[in-house]
């Protein structure tokens, strides 16, 4: 759905490549494929074997890079990042990759996720003399690596990773090595591919498709991959735990043409829609999905019930963010600028409106009103995920608990608030069944903490919730 009006926003995207003469250009295209994961900043760092070259900026990938930048981004290896501001907020200084230069060697770091003990670690590091240049918790990782400077870089990274807790998929680039790592529970997605003789890594496999790379496998939880002129080697910096890949990657964040943990996102969303139809059937004339991430679930709901799927809602793809919304009237207009109800489809019809999630309920209420203003006689809302009742501490920009409508209201109360004729959510059991199915939960399990409150890691008293944005 439309993130900026919903209160649920993308995280970040990481891309890396080793062994390609056009590493910067390939990274540029990879970041284009991951643009949906972050629109507030982008950056690329390359190495030619002797020095790191950085270009980054605030804005979309196309705005940050031009042909001129690539003439100086020479090298056979690169890492890239698209950012949505979570912990630490926005600003140029927080745009990644972050580069840290020193006499011995330099390194660049790109990270997707959130460290639940970053605040505590930062306090310890500052007490020992560290000075931070950004407000991003990503910088904590670099300081921990540099504190073990007497060790070989690979061991220093392993030592740093043993101290951090939370969700992280990261790429570290030095003048002559590339390192890739994933947290012990695999909370964030990260895959390995090949492009000829080159190795590529990306948050989503859709980036491989764009550059013509072939998917090889997932990065394993707790795995540290090192690549240099001698080739690729892999090790476990810690014992892997039961996989708990963020379920919202399947529900909302990832592109439908991506495969996460060997499961296609579009296929999983269709299964969620079918499961939702089994759990909460309804008599209606048409099914429609809220563009874009809910369409797959709506198709699944339609196939399972036999109710025709129609494009009852259209997204205006040429409207950017609406910053001027000082009044309720203008907020309503902002929704109408982004979404339109198709009167010829919904007028006089009982409509099933399938959406991926409800955060605060304000957008759902506006869309229900849009459909009824277009002549829908009934609007039955079906949500292809359980009620979001708890904040996420792992890098997804959700609201605080008090702003989550499901944390303090029953399903019936939410139905009244949004003005729907009926409302139903997918169960947590149904969500897990749709994603895990008959696969081994140890390798293919998912995190449902925002639905259940059962966090897969320890949550520290001073853990910071990623910054909320409307």
């Amino acid at each position: 759905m439309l993130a900026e009006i919903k209160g649920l926003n993308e995280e970040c995207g990481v891309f890396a490549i080793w062994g390609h003469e056009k590493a910067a250009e390939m990274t540029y295209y990879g970041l284009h494929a991951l643009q949906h994961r972050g629109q507030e900043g982008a950056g690329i760092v390359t190495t030619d074997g002797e020095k790191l070259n950085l270009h980054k900026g605030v804005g979309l990938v196309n705005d940050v890079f031009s042909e001129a930048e690539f003439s100086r981004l020479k090298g056979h290896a690169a890492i890239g990042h698209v950012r949505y501001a979570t912990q630490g907020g926005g600003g140029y200084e927080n745009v990644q990759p972050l580069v840290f230069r020193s006499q011995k060697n330099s390194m660049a770091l790109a990270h997707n996720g959130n460290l639940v003990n970053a605040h505590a670690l930062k306090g310890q590091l500052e007490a020992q003399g560290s000075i931070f240049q950004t407000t991003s918790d990503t910088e904590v990782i670099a300081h921990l690596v540099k504190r073990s400077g007497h060790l070989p870089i690979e061991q220093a990274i392993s030592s740093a990773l043993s101290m951090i807790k939370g969700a992280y998929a990261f790429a570290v680039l030095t003048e002559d090595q590339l390192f890739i790592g994933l947290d012990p529970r695999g909370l964030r997605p990260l895959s390995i591919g090949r492009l000829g003789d080159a190795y590529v890594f990306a948050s989503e496999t859709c980036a491989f498709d764009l550059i013509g790379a072939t998917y090889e496998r997932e990065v394993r939880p707790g795995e540290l991959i090192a690549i240099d002129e001698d080739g690729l080697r892999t090790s476990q910096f810690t014992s892997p735990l039961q996989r708990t890949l963020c379920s919202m990657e399947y529900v909302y964040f990832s592109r439908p043409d991506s495969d996460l943990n060997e499961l296609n996102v579009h296929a999983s969303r269709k299964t969620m829609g079918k499961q939702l139809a089994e759990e909460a059937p309804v008599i209606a004339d048409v099914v429609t999905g809220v563009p874009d991430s809910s369409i797959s679930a709506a198709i699944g709901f339609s196939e399972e019930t036999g109710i025709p799927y129609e494009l009852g809602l259209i997204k205006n793809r040429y409207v950017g963010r609406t910053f001027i919304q000082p009044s309720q009237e203008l907020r309503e207009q902002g929704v109408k600028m982004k979404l339109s109800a198709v009167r010829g489809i919904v007028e006089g019809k009982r409509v099933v409106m399938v959406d991926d999630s409800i955060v605060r309920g304000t957008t759902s209420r506006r869309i229900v009103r849009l459909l009824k203003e277009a002549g829908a006689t009934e609007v039955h809302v079906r949500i292809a995920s359980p009620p979001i009742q708890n904040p996420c501490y792992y890098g997804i920009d959700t609201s605080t608990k008090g702003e989550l409508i499901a944390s303090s209201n029953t399903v019936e109360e939410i139905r009244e608030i949004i003005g729907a004729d009926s409302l139903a959510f997918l169960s947590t059991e149904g969500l897990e069944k749709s994603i895990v199915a008959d696969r081994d939960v140890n390798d293919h399990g998912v995190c449902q903490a925002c639905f259940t409150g059962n966090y897969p890691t320890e949550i520290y008293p001073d853990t910071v919730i990623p910054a909320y944005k409307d």
Side-chain angles (χ1 to χ4, degrees), residues 12 14 79 81 83-84 86-89 93-100 107-119 121-122 125 132-145 160-161 164 167-172:
C12 299
V14 174
I79 63 174
H81 190 268
R83 173 176 174 78
Y84 176 80
T86 54
Q87 173 55 21
E93 70 277 4
N94 287 314
V95 175
Q96 298 182 35
L98 301 180
V99 176
F100 305 90
M107 70 175 181
L109 196 153
H111 163 240
N112 172 30
N114 204 57
L115 308 182
V116 297
N117 64 337
H119 185 78
L121 288 172
K122 193 171 184 179
L125 290 165
F132 289 84
Q133 301 298 314
T134 75
T135 57
S136 170
D137 62 359
T138 306
E139 192 176 0
V140 172
I141 302 174
H143 279 265
L144 292 174
V145 171
L161 296 181
I164 62 177
Y168 51 88
F170 73 87
V172 174

Side-chain angles (χ1 to χ4, degrees), residues 122-443:
K122 193 171 184 179
Q124 295 171 19
L125 290 165
E126 287 179 343
Q128 295 167 9
S130 292
I131 298 175
F132 289 84
Q133 301 298 314
T134 75
T135 57
S136 170
D137 62 359
T138 306
E139 192 176 0
V140 172
I141 302 174
H143 279 265
L144 292 174
V145 171
K146 284 300 183 181
R147 277 172 51 83
S148 301
H150 60 288
L151 297 173
I153 182 67
E154 190 170 344
Q155 293 181 33
I157 292 174
S158 291
S159 176
L161 296 181
S162 69
M163 290 182 271
I164 62 177
K165 309 293 182 184
Y168 51 88
F170 73 87
V172 174
L173 184 67
T174 70
E175 288 87 350
D176 55 5
Q177 290 179 291
L178 172 65
F179 299 93
I180 304 293
L182 188 65
D183 68 79
R185 289 196 176 273
L187 281 154
R188 299 270 72 84
L190 193 59
S191 299
I192 307 173
R194 294 298 298 269
L195 181 60
D197 293 330
Y199 290 97
V200 290
F201 304 85
S203 295
E204 292 185 40
T205 59
C206 62
F208 297 161
D209 298 332
L210 183 62
I211 64 172
T214 303
Y215 168 83
E216 293 245 313
R217 67 173 177 88
E218 297 282 309
V219 177
R220 291 184 287 268
E223 184 177 18
L224 178 62
I225 297 171
I227 311 177
D228 55 25
E229 61 182 5
D230 296 325
L232 180 148
R233 59 187 177 276
T234 180
S235 63
Q236 291 290 139
F237 65 85
T238 187
S239 298
L241 303 171
Q242 179 180 314
R243 183 101 199 234
T244 52
L245 177 60
C246 172
S247 59
M248 289 302 291
E249 291 282 356
Y250 292 100
V251 171
Y252 175 74
F253 293 117
S254 295
R255 268 178 40 168
D257 53 336
S258 288
D259 293 341
L260 300 181
N261 208 9
E262 302 173 345
L263 177 64
N264 175 255
V265 172
H266 167 69
S268 68
R269 290 175 183 166
K270 276 190 67 177
T271 304
M272 292 173 204
K274 291 181 177 182
Q275 181 67 29
L276 180 59
E278 289 184 12
E279 295 181 6
V282 64
I283 298 173
D285 302 306
V286 297
V287 175
T288 191
V290 179
D292 287 312
S293 54
S294 308
I295 291 176
S296 300
I299 293 172
F301 193 99
S302 170
E303 290 182 359
E304 184 66 23
T305 60
I307 303 171
Y309 170 79
E310 295 282 1
L311 288 176
L313 292 165
I314 300 294
K315 180 180 178 181
N316 184 347
R317 302 184 185 280
Y318 301 97
V319 175
R321 297 187 177 211
T322 51
F323 293 101
I324 304 174
Q325 296 183 346
S327 67
Q328 183 64 24
E329 181 181 357
L330 289 178
R331 287 179 188 273
E332 299 288 347
Q333 191 63 33
V335 175
K336 291 180 180 179
M337 288 173 62
K338 297 177 177 70
L339 281 179
S340 299
V342 183
R343 181 176 292 275
I345 296 297
V346 304
E347 189 171 25
K349 303 287 181 61
R350 297 166 296 181
V351 178
V352 179
M353 183 192 100
V354 178
D355 203 355
D356 50 68
S357 56
I358 294 180
V359 183
R360 295 176 302 157
T362 52
T363 301
S364 298
R365 183 175 67 247
R366 295 166 193 164
I367 298 174
V368 169
R369 186 178 302 162
L370 273 179
L371 290 167
K372 291 196 171 183
E373 287 175 352
T377 57
E378 297 176 7
V379 178
H380 302 275
V381 177
R382 294 295 181 268
I383 305 300
S385 65
I388 299 176
Q389 299 178 315
N390 307 278
C392 176
Y393 295 97
Y394 302 121
I396 293 178
D397 175 22
T398 56
S399 309
T400 59
K401 188 177 181 71
E403 292 171 313
L404 297 169
I405 191 171
S407 70
S408 57
N409 293 278
T410 65
V411 173
E412 174 59 21
E413 288 169 341
I414 297 172
R415 183 200 66 76
E416 292 182 1
I417 291 169
I418 67 175
D421 292 277
S422 73
L423 170 65
F425 292 83
L426 182 64
S427 66
T428 54
E429 296 80 10
L431 179 62
E432 181 167 327
K433 179 181 177 182
S434 301
I435 299 172
V436 180
D438 57 355
R439 301 185 299 169
D440 185 353
V441 70
N442 287 314
D443 297 325

